[in-house]
Amino acid sequence: MVRKEDQAPIKVYLWVTLVVLSAVGALAASAGTDVQFPGFWTFGIFALVGLMLDRTGGDLRVGATGSTSFVVHLASGILFGPLWGGLIAGVSTAVGQLLDRRPPIKVLFNTAQRTVAVSGGLLLLTWFGAGTPLLNFSGDALLVGKQLQANLGYFLAYAGFYFGFNTTAVSIAVALSSGRRFVDIWNLNAKGVIGYDLAASFIAVILSWLYVVFEDSVGFGALGFLITLAPILVIRHIYGLYRRLQSSGRELLDLMVKAIEARDPYTSGHSVRVATLAKAIAQESKVSTEEIEQVYTAAILHDVGKIHEEFAPLLRKESKLTPEETALLQTHAAKSAELVGIISSFRGYIQNAVRSHHERWDGGGYPDGLAGEDIPLGARIIMISDTADAMMTDRPYRKRLPIEAVIGELQKYRGTQFDPRLVDLVINSVAIRRVMAELQSGSTAILAPPADGGSKRVVPTPQGILRGRSSWPRIRAF
């Protein structure tokens, strides 16, 4: 039985069909190449190692996963040509996907796209004059060095096609299934790690060379492949433990955010809405993809300090706060920054943005009285997003304001409370206004169980929002 969440739009099926047909065509065209079958043992070992690496992967930022199996795929293509290299990549991927119980459409797609990435890239290079195998390791060291130097451009083109096709194919699939823009998906999942991927692809060259060395010396090239790959697996495992440790810290902060919002039903979902709007403003500000994600994470965590017990009665109080209570509540910015600093990767940009999100452009804010450009950009963005969301949601003492009224308030305090450049950006950006309208209408939300056990309320979902970027190179899957 196909689960509802595994169903995909017709556009996804058409894209999967096109990629599958491309894989079949690439393998059929590869049948005429002159590289012989590597043998059942060698084929099986390469496929098994590729499977192992594939199963040690992890989630990417948006709708995809990643693994280090690319080293096996690239090495297979180098050694055994487009036919057998493509089949090794396809078989290892298909078995791994089936063991993970992925939906059939994803099994087909991921198997096909990786097959095309290997076979298609090598076929294109043979049409441009590359030899088969792509790199020749026969002869003495001097000759091998000259051959590698002569064919280095072909190898880089092969690796470039491999990662380029993989990231593009997966990003298109995610975009079609989620309704998001392809550019946004590609930027989040691929843009920042392309350099790592290409640099790490040279591991495949080393593995291929050692395979040939052991094949010539002991008659079993896969032995050299396994010996070299063992430390890579160990390092990858250690790196995975480190990432899981970081993720547990992020999940703890995520839980704290939910706990805070459970205390105050009127602000439930506030952090996610602020983060969504802050991200839209950051994107329109033309900052880097990495900084956009840092702004998003800081916005999610901007009120995390309110988990402290002394803030609980203040959050529940419906009447006006006394001056003493106001002063106490204002300490939440510094306390939020302290908690965020628990995660080492959040120190610096994210922590500073959280600490300063109540600083005013004119210097009248807190906790440090910063002014103008001295306030971190992320904090200035969160200040606008935080204030806008407060005006766009219902409160005990007033109803939500329409978008135009919110814009009017931002204009009123332009240059005093808010960065004037960012206010102008919000006013003039159709994309930002669209996000504001979607957030206010709840069209970007899901149903969530209420804290008091009553009827369900609509709040945006924070699932996956704290997932960090891993700089370890990886091949993508849908």
Side-chain angles (χ1 to χ4, degrees):
M1 181 177 178
V2 179
R3 298 176 299 175
K4 185 175 181 180
E5 61 265 29
D6 291 336
Q7 295 177 349
I10 186 64
K11 292 182 290 186
V12 176
Y13 286 103
L14 292 175
W15 175 238
V16 172
T17 300
L18 178 61
V19 174
V20 169
L21 291 175
S22 299
V24 173
L27 291 176
S30 301
T33 57
D34 57 0
V35 176
Q36 296 181 348
F37 177 54
F40 289 105
W41 274 108
T42 299
F43 186 98
I45 289 173
F46 271 70
L48 178 61
V49 174
L51 169 63
M52 292 170 59
L53 290 175
D54 215 20
R55 303 207 73 199
T56 61
D59 291 340
L60 301 181
R61 290 186 170 188
V62 184
T65 59
S67 79
T68 54
S69 58
F70 68 91
V71 295
V72 177
H73 301 168
L74 291 173
S76 300
I78 291 171
L79 293 167
F80 313 127
L83 177 60
W84 300 113
L87 285 173
I88 288 173
V91 168
S92 63
T93 299
V95 174
Q97 297 277 297
L98 290 171
L99 290 176
D100 288 337
R101 298 184 178 181
R102 305 293 293 277
I105 187 174
K106 292 190 176 183
V107 176
L108 277 173
F109 173 78
N110 290 318
T111 300
Q113 57 98 350
R114 291 182 178 177
T115 300
V116 174
V118 174
S119 299
L122 290 173
L123 279 175
L124 285 174
L125 290 176
T126 59
W127 294 340
F128 285 98
T132 304
L134 183 64
L135 300 177
N136 191 340
F137 297 99
S138 302
D140 58 32
L142 182 60
L143 179 60
V144 170
K146 289 182 178 179
Q147 291 170 339
L148 287 177
Q149 185 178 3
N151 291 289
L152 182 61
Y154 285 128
F155 170 73
L156 289 175
Y158 170 41
F161 178 89
Y162 179 88
F163 287 115
F165 182 83
N166 168 249
T167 55
T168 300
V170 172
S171 296
I172 290 174
V174 174
L176 292 175
S177 64
S178 66
R180 299 181 62 174
R181 295 195 311 164
F182 163 80
V183 173
D184 293 338
I185 302 298
W186 191 90
N187 283 341
L188 289 173
N189 284 341
K191 181 179 179 181
V193 293
I194 287 294
Y196 291 104
D197 293 339
L198 290 176
S201 65
F202 282 93
I203 298 174
V205 176
I206 298 172
L207 294 177
S208 302
W209 172 69
L210 285 168
Y211 174 89
V212 173
V213 169
F214 274 78
E215 184 71 22
D216 292 342
S217 59
V218 300
F220 189 53
L223 179 61
F225 183 80
L226 290 173
I227 290 174
T228 308
L229 205 56
I232 296 175
L233 287 170
V234 172
I235 294 171
R236 182 65 182 88
H237 178 67
I238 294 173
Y239 184 83
L241 291 176
Y242 171 71
R243 296 301 300 173
R244 284 194 290 274
L245 180 62
Q246 283 193 319
S247 295
S248 65
R250 296 189 190 99
E251 289 165 2
L252 176 61
L253 288 174
D254 192 8
L255 178 62
M256 292 166 66
V257 170
K258 293 178 181 178
I260 295 162
E261 296 189 340
R263 287 179 169 181
D264 183 2
Y266 296 105
T267 60
S268 185
H270 168 72
S271 295
V272 180
R273 293 193 301 271
V274 171
T276 302
L277 181 55
K279 185 172 184 178
I281 297 173
Q283 287 172 329
E284 290 295 291
S285 299
K286 308 301 182 184
V287 297
S288 67
T289 302
E290 192 67 26
E291 188 169 359
I292 291 171
E293 289 303 298
Q294 289 175 323
V295 170
Y296 189 50
T297 302
I300 282 291
L301 302 173
H302 74 283
D303 278 341
V304 74
K306 290 179 179 177
I307 192 67
H308 289 283
E309 185 60 32
E310 64 261 33
F311 298 123
L314 306 182
L315 295 175
R316 296 192 186 102
K317 187 175 181 179
E318 295 189 5
S319 60
K320 186 177 180 180
L321 298 180
T322 67
E324 293 77 15
E325 289 172 334
T326 299
L328 175 59
L329 187 59
Q330 288 179 350
T331 64
H332 83 273
K335 291 184 180 296
S336 295
E338 291 174 4
L339 289 175
V340 168
I342 293 173
I343 307 300
S344 59
S345 61
F346 290 172
R347 295 170 193 162
Y349 190 103
I350 293 173
Q351 187 178 21
N352 292 336
V354 170
R355 180 179 177 85
S356 302
H357 75 275
H358 277 293
E359 301 285 3
R360 293 169 51 108
W361 184 258
D362 61 7
Y366 60 88
D368 303 311
L370 302 178
E373 297 289 342
D374 290 337
I375 305 171
L377 175 61
R380 285 178 264 151
I381 291 174
I382 296 172
M383 162 65 89
I384 290 179
S385 304
D386 191 18
T387 307
D389 181 70
M391 291 188 286
M392 291 191 302
T393 51
D394 291 332
R395 293 301 172 93
Y397 48 86
R398 61 149 177 81
K399 289 292 185 180
R400 71 185 67 181
L401 300 179
I403 300 298
E404 289 306 317
V406 174
I407 294 296
E409 288 297 302
L410 294 179
Q411 284 181 303
K412 181 179 179 180
Y413 294 100
R414 176 188 181 277
T416 53
Q417 184 175 351
F418 308 115
D419 179 344
R421 183 184 66 86
L422 292 178
V423 171
D424 292 342
L425 194 67
V426 172
I427 293 172
N428 296 318
S429 171
V430 175
I432 294 175
R433 284 179 178 247
R434 184 185 303 120
V435 170
M436 293 172 70
E438 290 174 350
L439 290 174
Q440 190 172 56
S441 67
S443 62
T444 60
I446 62 168
L447 284 175
D452 58 2
S455 59
K456 289 185 176 180
R457 66 184 184 277
V458 178
V459 297
T461 174
Q463 182 178 4
I465 53 177
L466 298 180
R467 184 180 302 138
R469 181 187 297 276
S470 167
S471 59
W472 187 277
R474 58 261 179 99
I475 183 69
R476 288 87 184 161
F478 174 46

